[in-house]
Amino acid sequence: MNQRIQRPEVVVITGASGGVGRATAQAFGKRGAHVCLVARGEAGLEGAKREIEQAGGKAIIVAGDAADPQTHERAAQQAEETFGPIDIWVNVAFTTVFSPFMEITPEEYKRVTEVTYLGYVYGTQTALRRMLPRDQGKIVEVGSTLAYRGIPLQTAYCGAKHAIQGFTEALRSELIHNKSNVQLTMVQLPAVNTPQFTWGRNKLPRKAQPVPPIYQPELVAEAVYWAAHRKKRQLYIGGSTLIVIMGNKFFAKFGDWYLAKTGYDSQMRPDPRDPEQPNNLFNPVDSTQDYGAHGAFDDRSTNRSYELWAAEHKGIVAGALAGVGGLAAAGLLLATRQRD
């Protein structure tokens, strides 16, 4: 009897030179995947490639701008020519501006939108050109809590993440209508300790920071890997994500007021901003220096998410809830009999 030889997974990851994209590349690489790394920063890409190969996987580099559709097309072609059919495509690449809305120029707003939103659109279209004819494959859109609840000082980023959410829902309905076996998942992130707050364009008076609680990129990467191998519509990471998204459904007006009061100071460190700080809005800052996956907040970040654990252990959670329900029912029955 002939046994089918299982080949390594072929994965394309955009924004792979740093932050969540970098950690996600590590997560796939240590499981032996063949990964196509896409980003602008060549030093970061080389670092990611080394990590994957040291972990036992294989990697190739495609240096290019996520805002350019041809970058995604080159990545897909090189991935399939080198490794074979793409199994999983993960969209992570983004850029941002920390600034009050009226201080963002039209050029800056356009750039954030082109990279952070249209980059996902172009990557998804490129992946589907390969996956739809084969009727298989998985696309993971790395989103954010801010896809549901916008916050001050990040209007461009929030707008792009909201757009990704709407685009993903619309596309998912099309795939279902066409009875496609290609899967589409969105992973909604909390605040993550990445270089975003070091290299994002900052027009604030002080250094930028993620709104606590802050999570490590490796936790997010493991969630992305898990979601990439499950038929799950959406995955929330972190209690803060769940609270914000659910709270916004019922208390949006309170959220407006609360963020008006707290959303400025919570996004700024005490230190004044360095006006000479490099930023990656139009040009990469990791072309000669490798920033890695982590930002400057290791001492304030956690690697634990009970919501992710519950999603990964649904059977245990369901059993525990059933047990609690059974005990409650037994207690109610006993109390009723005693009254009788």
Side-chain angles (χ1 to χ4, degrees):
M1 180 178 178
N2 293 329
Q3 289 186 338
R4 182 181 176 185
I5 298 175
Q6 187 174 7
R7 63 175 176 81
E9 285 184 327
V10 178
V11 185
V12 178
I13 302 173
T14 72
S17 65
V20 169
R22 177 72 167 266
T24 301
Q26 294 168 357
F28 279 96
K30 72 182 182 182
R31 293 170 170 94
H34 291 177
V35 187
C36 177
L37 304 162
V38 187
R40 293 175 298 163
E42 294 187 15
L45 287 171
E46 290 290 351
K49 183 174 185 289
R50 283 194 303 271
E51 290 166 350
I52 289 173
E53 292 174 345
Q54 289 168 359
K58 292 184 179 181
I60 60 171
I61 288 171
V62 175
D65 194 333
D68 181 0
Q70 292 306 311
T71 295
H72 303 276
E73 191 62 29
R74 284 193 295 111
Q77 288 180 354
Q78 292 186 34
E80 298 212 330
E81 288 173 1
T82 306
F83 298 136
I86 297 167
D87 299 297
I88 299 169
W89 187 291
V90 185
N91 283 311
V92 188
F94 74 94
T95 189
T96 191
V97 178
F98 299 100
S99 172
F101 171 68
M102 291 303 292
E103 295 178 23
I104 304 175
T105 68
E107 292 78 16
E108 289 170 335
Y109 227 100
K110 180 181 179 183
R111 177 63 179 164
V112 172
T113 304
E114 287 177 340
V115 175
T116 308
Y117 171 49
L118 291 179
Y120 276 47
V121 173
Y122 302 148
T124 301
Q125 283 187 325
T126 300
L128 287 176
R129 288 191 194 102
R130 276 84 182 166
M131 293 178 177
L132 288 176
R134 298 192 287 260
D135 199 29
Q136 62 182 13
K138 184 67 174 277
I139 301 171
V140 181
E141 315 287 21
V142 175
S144 170
T145 307
L146 307 187
Y148 287 89
R149 171 69 250 185
I151 63 175
L153 306 179
Q154 292 200 53
T155 56
Y157 180 82
C158 292
K161 288 298 182 180
H162 272 70
I164 294 167
Q165 173 68 14
F167 145 72
T168 301
E169 290 179 344
L171 175 57
R172 185 183 292 112
S173 295
E174 290 186 15
L175 292 173
I176 294 171
H177 172 82
N178 293 326
K179 297 181 172 58
S180 174
N181 286 313
V182 176
Q183 298 293 313
L184 183 62
T185 293
M186 195 164 185
V187 179
Q188 308 296 11
L189 272 55
V192 187
N193 175 32
T194 73
Q196 168 190 358
F197 304 92
T198 301
W199 66 28
R201 178 164 291 192
N202 183 8
K203 295 186 169 184
L204 305 177
R206 308 200 305 267
K207 291 181 179 179
Q209 70 171 10
V211 179
I214 308 169
Y215 294 81
Q216 292 287 28
E218 288 79 12
L219 171 71
V220 174
E222 289 299 316
V224 171
Y225 182 88
W226 185 85
H229 296 88
R230 302 295 188 284
K231 290 184 178 181
K232 192 169 182 65
R233 181 180 185 274
Q234 189 162 232
L235 179 65
Y236 300 153
I237 305 175
S240 57
T241 300
L242 185 62
I243 290 169
V244 169
I245 291 176
M246 296 308 295
N248 196 58
K249 288 180 180 290
F250 303 102
F251 306 105
K253 188 174 182 180
F254 172 78
D256 295 340
W257 173 85
Y258 180 78
L259 287 166
K261 295 289 185 182
T262 67
Y264 281 65
D265 281 342
S266 64
Q267 293 187 75
M268 289 186 280
R269 286 182 271 176
D271 310 322
R273 172 180 62 88
D274 178 4
E276 302 301 320
Q277 173 186 309
N279 69 83
N280 73 343
L281 185 60
F282 292 99
N283 298 294
V285 299
D286 55 345
S287 288
T288 57
Q289 177 182 350
D290 181 8
Y291 284 74
H294 285 228
F297 308 97
D298 279 334
D299 58 339
R300 299 167 55 191
S301 302
T302 181
N303 244 327
R304 182 179 301 141
S305 167
Y306 296 109
E307 293 69 31
L308 176 59
W309 185 91
E312 294 175 340
H313 300 82
K314 192 179 297 183
I316 297 175
V317 173
L321 291 174
V324 171
L327 288 173
L332 180 61
L333 179 61
L334 180 60
T336 301
R337 288 178 175 176
Q338 287 175 342
R339 283 201 303 271
D340 292 343

PDB file of all heavy atoms in Angstrom, residues 31-52:
ATOM      1  N   ARG A  31       8.314  24.596  13.471  1.00  0.00           N
ATOM      2  CA  ARG A  31       7.541  23.390  13.167  1.00  0.00           C
ATOM      3  C   ARG A  31       7.885  22.840  11.782  1.00  0.00           C
ATOM      4  O   ARG A  31       7.162  22.004  11.242  1.00  0.00           O
ATOM      5  CB  ARG A  31       6.059  23.700  13.278  1.00  0.00           C
ATOM      6  CG  ARG A  31       5.628  24.011  14.731  1.00  0.00           C
ATOM      7  CD  ARG A  31       4.206  24.547  14.780  1.00  0.00           C
ATOM      8  NE  ARG A  31       3.696  24.631  16.120  1.00  0.00           N
ATOM      9  CZ  ARG A  31       3.745  25.733  16.885  1.00  0.00           C
ATOM     10  NH1 ARG A  31       4.334  26.835  16.420  1.00  0.00           N
ATOM     11  NH2 ARG A  31       3.230  25.725  18.110  1.00  0.00           N
ATOM     12  N   GLY A  32       8.993  23.335  11.235  1.00  0.00           N
ATOM     13  CA  GLY A  32       9.493  22.794   9.983  1.00  0.00           C
ATOM     14  C   GLY A  32       8.873  23.343   8.723  1.00  0.00           C
ATOM     15  O   GLY A  32       9.070  22.780   7.640  1.00  0.00           O
ATOM     16  N   ALA A  33       8.128  24.439   8.818  1.00  0.00           N
ATOM     17  CA  ALA A  33       7.479  24.998   7.631  1.00  0.00           C
ATOM     18  C   ALA A  33       8.501  25.622   6.691  1.00  0.00           C
ATOM     19  O   ALA A  33       9.624  25.983   7.087  1.00  0.00           O
ATOM     20  CB  ALA A  33       6.452  26.045   8.046  1.00  0.00           C
ATOM     21  N   HIS A  34       8.108  25.740   5.434  1.00  0.00           N
ATOM     22  CA  HIS A  34       8.871  26.472   4.434  1.00  0.00           C
ATOM     23  C   HIS A  34       8.198  27.837   4.279  1.00  0.00           C
ATOM     24  O   HIS A  34       7.036  27.916   3.853  1.00  0.00           O
ATOM     25  CB  HIS A  34       8.890  25.719   3.109  1.00  0.00           C
ATOM     26  CG  HIS A  34       9.683  24.451   3.166  1.00  0.00           C
ATOM     27  ND1 HIS A  34       9.786  23.577   2.093  1.00  0.00           N
ATOM     28  CD2 HIS A  34      10.424  23.899   4.164  1.00  0.00           C
ATOM     29  CE1 HIS A  34      10.555  22.551   2.435  1.00  0.00           C
ATOM     30  NE2 HIS A  34      10.946  22.724   3.692  1.00  0.00           N
ATOM     31  N   VAL A  35       8.922  28.894   4.627  1.00  0.00           N
ATOM     32  CA  VAL A  35       8.305  30.206   4.791  1.00  0.00           C
ATOM     33  C   VAL A  35       8.896  31.218   3.816  1.00  0.00           C
ATOM     34  O   VAL A  35      10.114  31.343   3.685  1.00  0.00           O
ATOM     35  CB  VAL A  35       8.492  30.721   6.235  1.00  0.00           C
ATOM     36  CG1 VAL A  35       7.701  32.014   6.440  1.00  0.00           C
ATOM     37  CG2 VAL A  35       8.055  29.663   7.255  1.00  0.00           C
ATOM     38  N   CYS A  36       8.010  31.950   3.150  1.00  0.00           N
ATOM     39  CA  CYS A  36       8.396  33.089   2.324  1.00  0.00           C
ATOM     40  C   CYS A  36       8.193  34.349   3.156  1.00  0.00           C
ATOM     41  O   CYS A  36       7.068  34.665   3.557  1.00  0.00           O
ATOM     42  CB  CYS A  36       7.558  33.143   1.052  1.00  0.00           C
ATOM     43  SG  CYS A  36       7.909  34.582   0.010  1.00  0.00           S
ATOM     44  N   LEU A  37       9.269  35.061   3.432  1.00  0.00           N
ATOM     45  CA  LEU A  37       9.264  36.231   4.300  1.00  0.00           C
ATOM     46  C   LEU A  37       9.188  37.495   3.454  1.00  0.00           C
ATOM     47  O   LEU A  37      10.053  37.738   2.608  1.00  0.00           O
ATOM     48  CB  LEU A  37      10.533  36.257   5.141  1.00  0.00           C
ATOM     49  CG  LEU A  37      10.788  34.998   5.992  1.00  0.00           C
ATOM     50  CD1 LEU A  37      12.244  34.941   6.430  1.00  0.00           C
ATOM     51  CD2 LEU A  37       9.859  34.965   7.187  1.00  0.00           C
ATOM     52  N   VAL A  38       8.173  38.323   3.698  1.00  0.00           N
ATOM     53  CA  VAL A  38       7.943  39.515   2.884  1.00  0.00           C
ATOM     54  C   VAL A  38       7.964  40.754   3.779  1.00  0.00           C
ATOM     55  O   VAL A  38       7.236  40.820   4.774  1.00  0.00           O
ATOM     56  CB  VAL A  38       6.594  39.438   2.150  1.00  0.00           C
ATOM     57  CG1 VAL A  38       6.449  40.595   1.173  1.00  0.00           C
ATOM     58  CG2 VAL A  38       6.427  38.098   1.445  1.00  0.00           C
ATOM     59  N   ALA A  39       8.796  41.718   3.435  1.00  0.00           N
ATOM     60  CA  ALA A  39       8.857  43.000   4.151  1.00  0.00           C
ATOM     61  C   ALA A  39       9.819  43.908   3.400  1.00  0.00           C
ATOM     62  O   ALA A  39      10.413  43.510   2.395  1.00  0.00           O
ATOM     63  CB  ALA A  39       9.315  42.801   5.596  1.00  0.00           C
ATOM     64  N   ARG A  40       9.990  45.133   3.909  1.00  0.00           N
ATOM     65  CA  ARG A  40      10.920  46.064   3.272  1.00  0.00           C
ATOM     66  C   ARG A  40      12.319  45.987   3.884  1.00  0.00           C
ATOM     67  O   ARG A  40      13.312  46.187   3.193  1.00  0.00           O
ATOM     68  CB  ARG A  40      10.393  47.495   3.410  1.00  0.00           C
ATOM     69  CG  ARG A  40       9.123  47.775   2.648  1.00  0.00           C
ATOM     70  CD  ARG A  40       8.617  49.184   2.947  1.00  0.00           C
ATOM     71  NE  ARG A  40       8.278  49.356   4.347  1.00  0.00           N
ATOM     72  CZ  ARG A  40       8.119  50.531   4.961  1.00  0.00           C
ATOM     73  NH1 ARG A  40       8.285  51.654   4.267  1.00  0.00           N
ATOM     74  NH2 ARG A  40       7.797  50.593   6.231  1.00  0.00           N
ATOM     75  N   GLY A  41      12.408  45.730   5.189  1.00  0.00           N
ATOM     76  CA  GLY A  41      13.682  45.798   5.898  1.00  0.00           C
ATOM     77  C   GLY A  41      14.543  44.562   5.708  1.00  0.00           C
ATOM     78  O   GLY A  41      14.243  43.491   6.241  1.00  0.00           O
ATOM     79  N   GLU A  42      15.624  44.691   4.974  1.00  0.00           N
ATOM     80  CA  GLU A  42      16.423  43.523   4.623  1.00  0.00           C
ATOM     81  C   GLU A  42      17.185  42.947   5.815  1.00  0.00           C
ATOM     82  O   GLU A  42      17.366  41.737   5.914  1.00  0.00           O
ATOM     83  CB  GLU A  42      17.371  43.868   3.474  1.00  0.00           C
ATOM     84  CG  GLU A  42      16.600  44.182   2.190  1.00  0.00           C
ATOM     85  CD  GLU A  42      17.512  44.361   1.001  1.00  0.00           C
ATOM     86  OE1 GLU A  42      18.687  43.971   1.086  1.00  0.00           O
ATOM     87  OE2 GLU A  42      17.051  44.907  -0.011  1.00  0.00           O
ATOM     88  N   ALA A  43      17.635  43.787   6.750  1.00  0.00           N
ATOM     89  CA  ALA A  43      18.319  43.262   7.935  1.00  0.00           C
ATOM     90  C   ALA A  43      17.352  42.439   8.778  1.00  0.00           C
ATOM     91  O   ALA A  43      17.695  41.360   9.275  1.00  0.00           O
ATOM     92  CB  ALA A  43      18.912  44.408   8.760  1.00  0.00           C
ATOM     93  N   GLY A  44      16.126  42.935   8.930  1.00  0.00           N
ATOM     94  CA  GLY A  44      15.115  42.183   9.673  1.00  0.00           C
ATOM     95  C   GLY A  44      14.750  40.888   8.974  1.00  0.00           C
ATOM     96  O   GLY A  44      14.561  39.843   9.617  1.00  0.00           O
ATOM     97  N   LEU A  45      14.641  40.926   7.654  1.00  0.00           N
ATOM     98  CA  LEU A  45      14.334  39.717   6.897  1.00  0.00           C
ATOM     99  C   LEU A  45      15.445  38.679   7.030  1.00  0.00           C
ATOM    100  O   LEU A  45      15.173  37.478   7.197  1.00  0.00           O
ATOM    101  CB  LEU A  45      14.119  40.065   5.426  1.00  0.00           C
ATOM    102  CG  LEU A  45      12.812  40.788   5.085  1.00  0.00           C
ATOM    103  CD1 LEU A  45      12.839  41.270   3.634  1.00  0.00           C
ATOM    104  CD2 LEU A  45      11.608  39.878   5.314  1.00  0.00           C
ATOM    105  N   GLU A  46      16.696  39.116   6.957  1.00  0.00           N
ATOM    106  CA  GLU A  46      17.817  38.183   7.105  1.00  0.00           C
ATOM    107  C   GLU A  46      17.815  37.557   8.496  1.00  0.00           C
ATOM    108  O   GLU A  46      18.095  36.363   8.657  1.00  0.00           O
ATOM    109  CB  GLU A  46      19.141  38.907   6.845  1.00  0.00           C
ATOM    110  CG  GLU A  46      19.367  39.310   5.395  1.00  0.00           C
ATOM    111  CD  GLU A  46      19.621  38.126   4.476  1.00  0.00           C
ATOM    112  OE1 GLU A  46      19.798  36.995   4.980  1.00  0.00           O
ATOM    113  OE2 GLU A  46      19.623  38.335   3.239  1.00  0.00           O
ATOM    114  N   GLY A  47      17.496  38.366   9.506  1.00  0.00           N
ATOM    115  CA  GLY A  47      17.414  37.823  10.864  1.00  0.00           C
ATOM    116  C   GLY A  47      16.316  36.788  10.999  1.00  0.00           C
ATOM    117  O   GLY A  47      16.505  35.736  11.623  1.00  0.00           O
ATOM    118  N   ALA A  48      15.164  37.063  10.406  1.00  0.00           N
ATOM    119  CA  ALA A  48      14.053  36.106  10.448  1.00  0.00           C
ATOM    120  C   ALA A  48      14.414  34.821   9.714  1.00  0.00           C
ATOM    121  O   ALA A  48      14.087  33.708  10.175  1.00  0.00           O
ATOM    122  CB  ALA A  48      12.803  36.738   9.837  1.00  0.00           C
ATOM    123  N   LYS A  49      15.090  34.939   8.600  1.00  0.00           N
ATOM    124  CA  LYS A  49      15.500  33.761   7.825  1.00  0.00           C
ATOM    125  C   LYS A  49      16.446  32.887   8.645  1.00  0.00           C
ATOM    126  O   LYS A  49      16.307  31.655   8.680  1.00  0.00           O
ATOM    127  CB  LYS A  49      16.165  34.206   6.524  1.00  0.00           C
ATOM    128  CG  LYS A  49      16.568  33.071   5.583  1.00  0.00           C
ATOM    129  CD  LYS A  49      17.093  33.652   4.267  1.00  0.00           C
ATOM    130  CE  LYS A  49      17.392  32.557   3.251  1.00  0.00           C
ATOM    131  NZ  LYS A  49      18.574  31.767   3.602  1.00  0.00           N
ATOM    132  N   ARG A  50      17.415  33.501   9.305  1.00  0.00           N
ATOM    133  CA  ARG A  50      18.354  32.738  10.137  1.00  0.00           C
ATOM    134  C   ARG A  50      17.622  31.987  11.242  1.00  0.00           C
ATOM    135  O   ARG A  50      17.917  30.808  11.514  1.00  0.00           O
ATOM    136  CB  ARG A  50      19.400  33.675  10.751  1.00  0.00           C
ATOM    137  CG  ARG A  50      20.489  34.109   9.798  1.00  0.00           C
ATOM    138  CD  ARG A  50      21.648  34.749  10.557  1.00  0.00           C
ATOM    139  NE  ARG A  50      21.214  35.888  11.351  1.00  0.00           N
ATOM    140  CZ  ARG A  50      21.168  37.129  10.863  1.00  0.00           C
ATOM    141  NH1 ARG A  50      21.505  37.376   9.604  1.00  0.00           N
ATOM    142  NH2 ARG A  50      20.786  38.121  11.649  1.00  0.00           N
ATOM    143  N   GLU A  51      16.685  32.665  11.885  1.00  0.00           N
ATOM    144  CA  GLU A  51      15.950  32.020  12.984  1.00  0.00           C
ATOM    145  C   GLU A  51      15.172  30.801  12.502  1.00  0.00           C
ATOM    146  O   GLU A  51      15.145  29.760  13.174  1.00  0.00           O
ATOM    147  CB  GLU A  51      15.003  33.038  13.630  1.00  0.00           C
ATOM    148  CG  GLU A  51      15.711  34.119  14.412  1.00  0.00           C
ATOM    149  CD  GLU A  51      14.811  35.286  14.753  1.00  0.00           C
ATOM    150  OE1 GLU A  51      13.674  35.349  14.229  1.00  0.00           O
ATOM    151  OE2 GLU A  51      15.236  36.144  15.538  1.00  0.00           O
ATOM    152  N   ILE A  52      14.532  30.917  11.361  1.00  0.00           N
ATOM    153  CA  ILE A  52      13.759  29.803  10.821  1.00  0.00           C
ATOM    154  C   ILE A  52      14.669  28.625  10.482  1.00  0.00           C
ATOM    155  O   ILE A  52      14.382  27.470  10.826  1.00  0.00           O
ATOM    156  CB  ILE A  52      12.970  30.251   9.582  1.00  0.00           C
ATOM    157  CG1 ILE A  52      11.826  31.175  10.002  1.00  0.00           C
ATOM    158  CG2 ILE A  52      12.428  29.058   8.797  1.00  0.00           C
ATOM    159  CD1 ILE A  52      11.084  31.797   8.856  1.00  0.00           C
TER     160      ILE A  52
END
